Amino acid sequence: MKAHLSRARQYLLAGVSYAIPFVAAGGILIAAAIALVPMTPAGPDFSNAPFQKTLLDIGSAAFGLLVPVLAGYIAFGMADRPGIAPGFVGGAIAAQVGAGFLGGIVAGLLAGFAVWIYTLFLPT
């Protein structure tokens, strides 16, 4: 039982390690956009700052890719390269329905397991 939990931990950490650059880059871009934009009493005003708005949009897009990347590389950790595409698709569906980070983990595990089972029956 301990070996199975250790392997599951390894799969999850593989996904997280590939997702960290998306979080870091997205966070830096969002922080830079907010730091450089003129502030009003209501908060940041992006109406007259197109460059800062572009930085904010790119950072938000990087954050939006977090769940699909997490799921894709969890599936990659389980089933190697055949698991990447199903994992990314499962993660995109999880992000689309609003399942969030936990939904991405479940999607990656399901995709990786399904592909792993499928590859057991393929001739080598």
Side-chain angles (χ1 to χ4, degrees):
M1 182 67 175
K2 189 172 182 175
H4 292 297
L5 291 176
S6 176
R7 290 175 107 187
R9 178 176 172 252
Q10 181 182 2
Y11 302 147
L12 294 175
L13 289 176
V16 169
S17 68
Y18 281 101
I20 287 173
F22 289 88
V23 174
I28 289 170
L29 289 173
I30 291 171
I34 293 173
L36 298 174
V37 75
M39 297 299 276
T40 64
D45 180 24
F46 290 99
S47 60
N48 292 325
F51 178 72
Q52 288 85 351
K53 176 69 171 137
T54 303
L55 285 179
L56 181 72
D57 292 342
I58 294 170
S60 299
F63 269 125
L65 290 174
L66 171 68
V67 174
V69 167
L70 175 70
Y73 284 107
I74 288 173
F76 170 73
M78 292 179 76
D80 207 35
R81 286 193 318 173
I84 292 177
F88 269 88
V89 170
I93 292 170
Q96 189 70 30
V97 300
F101 189 78
L102 293 177
I105 291 173
V106 170
L109 291 172
L110 286 174
F113 184 72
V115 171
W116 178 73
I117 291 293
Y118 184 73
T119 57
L120 287 178
F121 299 107
L122 289 176
T124 57

